[in-house]
């Protein structure tokens, strides 16, 4: 009986975590036009993951991110 309850609880927990992850996944197309400095942590992770799957070359990914970062406001201290 304990094993059944434990497996049901684990299944529910996995379902909740998966549903939350899917609900919080940002839309990649909307991130294409958004500047990097406005990204949230979740958006950065999703965008970098997307870039890694679409562009296998590390050098090209770095160039893409550098170009996307042009125009970012900054302050010299």
């Amino acid at each position: 009986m304990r094993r059944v309850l434990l497996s049901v609880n684990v299944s529910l927990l996995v379902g909740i975590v998966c549903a939350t992850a899917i609900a919080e996944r940002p839309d990649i197309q909307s991130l294409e036009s958004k500047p990097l400095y406005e990204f949230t942590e979740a958006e950065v992770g999703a965008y970098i993951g997307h870039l890694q799957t679409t562009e296998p070359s590390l050098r090209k990914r770095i160039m893409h991110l550098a170009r996307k970062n042009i125009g970012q406001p900054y302050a010299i201290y």
Side-chain angles (χ1 to χ4, degrees):
M1 184 66 175
R2 281 184 162 178
R3 286 186 179 179
V4 172
L5 289 175
L6 180 62
S7 66
V8 168
N9 286 336
V10 169
S11 297
L12 286 173
L13 182 61
V14 168
I16 290 170
V17 168
C18 290
T20 303
I22 290 170
E24 292 177 359
R25 182 179 298 163
D27 180 33
I28 298 299
Q29 290 180 349
S30 67
L31 297 179
E32 289 289 335
S33 60
K34 187 175 182 180
L36 281 178
Y37 63 90
E38 292 181 359
F39 280 25
T40 64
E41 290 181 22
E43 290 172 338
V44 169
Y47 193 69
I48 289 175
H50 166 73
L51 282 179
Q52 190 170 12
T53 58
T54 58
E55 181 55 65
S57 170
L58 176 61
R59 290 176 192 238
K60 288 183 181 179
R61 287 194 310 262
I62 291 171
M63 287 301 298
H64 174 84
L65 292 171
R67 286 185 179 123
K68 190 165 178 61
N69 211 28
I70 292 175
Q72 175 177 331
Y74 63 95
I76 298 176
Y77 294 101

